Amino acid sequence: MKFNYNNQSLFQDTVIFNLITNFKNKGTLFGNGKRNTIKLFDLEATKINIKSFKKPNFINKIIYSYFRKSKAKRSFEFANKLIENGFGTPAPIAYFENFDIVGLKDSYYVSEHLDCDLTFRELVEIPDFPENEIILRQFIRFSYDLHKKGIEFKDHSPGNTLIKKGNDGKYNFFLVDLNRMEFHESMSFEKRMKNLCRLTPRKDMVAVMSHEYAIVSGESEALIFETLWKMTADFQYRFYRKKKIKQKLKFWK
């Protein structure tokens, strides 16, 4: 097994390693675990979040061993990059990679668990959520700051942004599910708009997002809305079309 620990972490390496070796038998399941399995562990006064990634197929076992970093390693490295750039994500602790004779067998990403007040999904599903528009506008400023630094969070979807209200009344945003990210010198207008198109199918939210993005960027609100709404509609069409095809292919279930 290969592993790497965050030097800033206060937890002993052996303690974290024991959590990994006992992952199957201990811990509290978090989420539905359809693709990856997440468990929570109480460690002293801190709750630890360990994500066990889905075991790769034969081809991916080789790819993640010789040609591409594992999802666990990418999650760990990208979390550290986010923090270095001043952006929120649950504090990274370690990652582990377990190999067999073929290649990568399984992998784990360990971080502190963050109890949030809401996720972006609540803003989408509950139109009258308290301070809905205030949160949405602050979120767009957060997203624009990511774009200014060339950070493309490819899984910028409703469930992957945790939101917590600070003591100063402002909202703080924390990204999770980090294994798909790219870091650029700069991001084109189209790439920035595409980065936001998976967040909501609601036109009223896209209108608010476009207005706030225009304020912080100085770009045309009309152009932002036109581009973002078209990309949003295209994404929603592809998403539901793919979903219908899957349902037809699995009609016997």
Side-chain angles (χ1 to χ4, degrees), residues 33-230:
K34 287 183 178 179
R35 292 182 59 193
N36 308 305
T37 302
I38 299 175
K39 283 189 173 183
L40 305 182
F41 298 81
D42 290 316
L43 195 59
E44 299 173 3
T46 305
K47 194 179 293 293
I48 302 299
N49 182 309
I50 301 181
K51 184 174 187 178
S52 172
F53 289 92
K54 181 181 177 181
K55 292 185 177 182
N57 59 35
F58 181 81
I59 299 297
N60 284 336
K61 285 170 71 77
I62 297 172
I63 290 174
Y64 289 141
S65 298
Y66 303 104
F67 304 103
R68 194 180 184 195
K69 295 177 181 179
S70 71
K71 292 181 179 181
K73 185 174 183 177
R74 278 180 277 149
S75 297
F76 179 79
E77 291 183 349
F78 293 161
N80 281 295
K81 280 190 177 183
L82 282 175
I83 292 171
E84 287 170 8
N85 281 279
F87 296 104
T89 189
I93 296 174
Y95 74 87
F96 294 78
E97 298 171 321
N98 194 22
F99 295 86
D100 59 22
I101 193 171
V102 176
L104 183 69
K105 183 179 178 182
D106 47 38
S107 60
Y108 305 83
Y109 172 57
V110 187
S111 65
E112 291 187 19
H113 184 72
L114 177 69
D115 288 319
C116 61
D117 297 322
L118 70 152
T119 70
F120 191 90
R121 191 180 303 281
E122 278 72 39
L123 301 183
V124 178
E125 297 178 349
I126 309 173
D128 59 349
F129 192 92
E131 299 190 320
N132 190 304
E133 185 171 326
I134 292 173
I135 302 171
L136 182 57
R137 289 183 180 277
Q138 290 185 15
F139 169 79
I140 286 300
R141 289 177 176 265
F142 166 79
S143 295
Y144 179 68
D145 287 340
L146 285 170
H147 293 166
K148 280 198 304 182
K149 291 201 173 182
I151 300 175
E152 183 184 5
F153 179 42
K154 291 194 168 185
D155 274 336
H156 216 9
S157 54
N160 288 342
T161 298
L162 311 183
I163 306 172
K164 196 172 181 65
K165 193 171 187 178
N167 295 328
D168 58 359
K170 293 182 179 180
Y171 288 90
N172 300 305
F173 303 93
F174 303 84
L175 301 181
V176 295
D177 204 355
L178 305 179
N179 65 86
R180 295 181 64 244
M181 298 185 71
E182 285 192 22
F183 297 81
H184 310 276
E185 288 295 324
S186 62
M187 292 176 65
S188 68
F189 176 77
E190 288 73 18
K191 188 179 288 292
R192 286 182 279 129
M193 293 302 101
K194 186 177 181 181
N195 186 235
L196 300 173
C197 75
R198 300 175 60 187
L199 287 163
T200 176
R202 287 172 42 193
K203 199 170 187 177
D204 61 318
M205 290 185 71
V206 173
V208 173
M209 292 161 64
S210 300
H211 181 257
E212 192 65 26
Y213 202 97
I215 292 173
V216 295
S217 69
E219 295 166 321
S220 164
E221 180 182 350
L223 178 61
I224 293 171
F225 177 77
E226 178 184 1
T227 306
L228 182 54
W229 180 243
K230 182 181 185 304

Side-chain angles (χ1 to χ4, degrees), residues 2-33:
K2 293 183 179 180
F3 50 85
N4 191 9
Y5 292 92
N6 189 341
N7 292 331
Q8 304 300 317
S9 175
L10 300 177
F11 304 105
Q12 293 183 1
D13 298 358
T14 53
V15 174
I16 302 301
F17 185 81
N18 286 335
L19 296 182
I20 296 297
T21 55
N22 291 289
F23 182 82
K24 289 184 179 180
N25 303 316
K26 294 185 178 181
T28 303
L29 191 64
F30 182 74
N32 56 35

